[in-house]
Amino acid sequence: MAPPTPALDAPQILLLFRDEIAVFQIPETVEFEGVREQIDRLIALEPPDALGPTCRLDLGERPITLLDLRRLVHHLDQTHSIEVTGLYSSTQAIHRFAQRELKLKLFLDGTPPPEDLMPQPEPTDLEPASATAPEAPDVDASTAPAPQAGQALDLDPDDILDAELQTPTPSDELEPEPEPAEEESGVRTLHVPRTLRSGHAVSFDGDVTIFGDVNPGAQITAAGSVIVLGTLKGVVHAGATGDEQAFILCLQLQATQLRIGTRIAIPPKEGSQGPEVALVREGRIVIEPYRSRLPR
Amino acid sequence: MSECLVITSGKGGVGKTTTSANLAVALAREGKKVAVVDADIGLRNLDVILGLENRIVYDLVNVIEGQCRLKQALIRDKRIEGLFLLPAAQTRDKNAVTPDDMKKLVDDLKELHDYVIIDCPAGIEQGFKNSIAGADRALIVTTPEVSAIRDADRIIGLVEAHDLPEPELILNRYRAGMVGRGDMLGREDVLEILAIPLLGIVPDHEDIIISANRGIPASFDDDSVVGAAYRRIAARLGGAEIEIPSFDDKQTFWGSVARWMGLAPAREVM
Ligand SMILES: Nc1ncnc2c1ncn2[C@@H]1O[C@H](COP(=O)(O)OP(=O)(O)O)[C@@H](O)[C@H]1O
Ligand SMILES: [Mg+2]
């Protein structure tokens, strides 16, 4: 039997050198699942140490989630001991994350990063922004300082020692069965016509609408906003690729935990009546009654 | 010297998770640093029993897959110094983890804690193999029922094949009244079959159900009979010689009346 030869028409990752640094150029057409393998093969073809200790990724227009980006960086580091130091990408949603969390230098169209994209020195996202909560809010409702009406408790920064958040990896994922509806804005919405039970995970690169409840132990991860036409008791991460304009709207909010962008909050136990929306205001997740129009 | 205990049983629903949570709390109350690990991937509930569900951000699988550091995934129990939970992933399955992964994880946890407690899933497959991989000592939980004992016997055989020291038994949901009437296997009956050292007996008690619903393990409660039973077991783990009570005087009203009247002295057993 002949060894399998890679199909010639398969979209290929290219290994180039820019400024004498290796650059992996990953075209939009390559499925993320195959990216790591292809990179492994490319590296194996090079003479040892030809690549040097660092490299950059060129994603061009290719959209990528925070999680996939982190996986890629992790893979190169763990498997090949090559540190990714730079990124070419026009996906704005990942820029901040790439700079602040992954410490990557950004190259836009091959030009050095403009000033406003340079790393900012004080990233303290997950700390309660408000000075009125000097003590980390306790989770136990009985000992917690009474939350202001509509104010979710920010999670104790102690719990997340390094204020970095990424989307967990769901395996038991529900397939986006109904074709996502493409809207004029280009934002895609996934409709899930059932209740999500414990262990179910939905993750999607746009908005998600659930026609049913989200039970404890179920998890939704969306790049955009999440609407639950039912009771939300599980965990929702909206704006998972860094979009802090994303919101979480549900008919009844009793969530275990809410996450928007890189922020995490535990809503007060006694849920109020009626539809509510969770969103980021002044750097904190807050919960407000939903009044017949989109927030903001 | 830190030690990794695996809490296992073969059969489901006999009290592994209850025991893991209560022993972890009891050991922390002794001033030990304890990490309790939910190895029941895909069916986690140790976090619920401990009342820590809403603080989970990362889980065991995230740690193993390198998506976060171990310390980021450990949830500190704020009610007591020294108690940490490493939650299971809920949306993955057991095959996401291998015994080698677990061994490495346990080694890392042992650097940071005096005790690492693994709450093993039911069954004898992957989840069991993962749970036992890093363990130094196995505690077998059983109820006084024939089917549970049969499974415990099978598990003891598997543990022995794993080069671990002789496992120790925790007999759970014990009802002295029923044993007295001959309606339940007594400790001697169980020990005759399993023939391993008895570490402790935990009575069948509504406190367990109440505390599970509240997310506050009974070992926190100084007045709870089951809490006390778990605290004694924790002390025995460290080598203390504390006798195992017979439980019958506290269980039945007439028993305590009889004892008060001097008719029936509390039975000393073992
Ligand atoms: N000593 C006890 N008294 C009363 N109920 C108990 C006791 N131990 C366990 N239970 C109950 O038995 C059920 C199964 O216990 P659990 O610890 O989840 O078992 P496992 O982890 O072995 O599947 C739970 O509903 C629990 O409340
Ligand atoms: Mg269990």
Side-chain angles (χ1 to χ4, degrees), chain B:
Chain B
M1 246 278 289
S2 49
E3 193 171 46
C4 175
L5 314 172
V6 59
I7 315 292
T8 182
S9 70
K11 191 168 156 60
V14 298
K16 292 177 293 299
T17 301
T18 306
T19 298
S20 302
N22 278 284
L23 283 186
V25 169
L27 286 166
R29 288 191 62 175
E30 285 185 4
K32 302 288 194 309
K33 239 185 137 191
V34 185
V36 56
V37 179
D38 191 346
D40 205 346
I41 294 161
L43 278 177
R44 75 175 180 213
N45 45 41
L46 187 54
D47 55 309
V48 180
I49 301 296
L50 283 166
L52 298 174
E53 180 184 19
N54 60 4
R55 290 178 49 209
I56 297 177
V57 177
Y58 298 111
D59 57 51
L60 183 151
V61 175
N62 293 138
V63 175
I64 283 172
E65 293 186 344
Q67 292 143 359
C68 69
R69 289 192 308 281
L70 177 56
K71 280 193 170 184
Q72 289 175 288
L74 283 171
I75 301 174
R76 185 170 62 85
D77 192 322
K78 297 176 191 174
R79 297 166 295 195
I80 184 161
E81 191 72 31
L83 177 57
F84 295 82
L85 166 70
L86 182 59
Q90 179 69 337
T91 57
R92 304 294 301 270
D93 68 57
K94 296 178 182 29
N95 302 322
V97 179
T98 67
D100 282 348
D101 294 333
M102 278 299 276
K103 183 143 186 1
K104 161 111 190 15
L105 182 77
V106 167
D107 285 345
D108 291 348
L109 284 167
K110 277 164 71 176
E111 305 245 314
L112 303 166
H113 302 89
D114 301 317
Y115 283 99
V116 176
I117 298 179
I118 314 275
D119 179 15
C120 178
I124 55 175
E125 282 94 26
Q126 184 78 10
F128 169 74
K129 289 177 185 148
N130 287 341
S131 301
I132 201 141
D136 303 307
R137 190 169 172 186
L139 309 187
I140 312 291
V141 181
T142 189
T143 58
E145 290 163 278
V146 179
S147 58
I149 292 167
R150 182 74 46 86
D151 289 359
D153 196 41
R154 173 103 173 84
I155 285 288
I156 293 168
L158 293 173
V159 167
E160 283 169 347
H162 257 86
D163 245 9
L164 289 176
E166 184 171 40
E168 293 146 282
L169 187 70
I170 295 175
L171 182 55
N172 188 23
R173 309 203 68 161
Y174 186 82
R175 294 173 68 165
M178 284 182 73
V179 173
R181 291 195 300 274
D183 291 333
M184 183 180 265
L185 295 174
R187 79 173 77 179
E188 300 308 337
D189 308 317
V190 177
L191 289 178
E192 194 185 306
I193 302 167
L194 297 180
I196 56 173
L198 181 64
L199 190 64
I201 296 182
V202 181
D204 189 64
H205 200 283
E206 63 182 24
D207 278 0
I208 292 293
I209 295 155
I210 297 168
S211 64
N213 289 338
R214 290 194 186 138
I216 307 169
S219 302
F220 273 119
D221 181 355
D222 287 329
D223 301 326
S224 164
V225 181
V226 254
Y230 276 118
R231 286 197 300 278
R232 281 194 297 268
I233 294 174
R236 288 184 202 115
L237 277 173
E241 292 198 16
I242 303 172
E243 156 191 320
I244 300 175
S246 61
F247 292 106
D248 51 1
D249 46 349
K250 288 209 173 129
Q251 288 258 310
T252 65
F253 171 72
W254 286 113
S256 53
V257 170
R259 198 164 71 94
W260 175 68
M261 292 168 69
L263 297 177
R267 271 194 292 155
E268 295 294 346
V269 194
M270 287 190 74

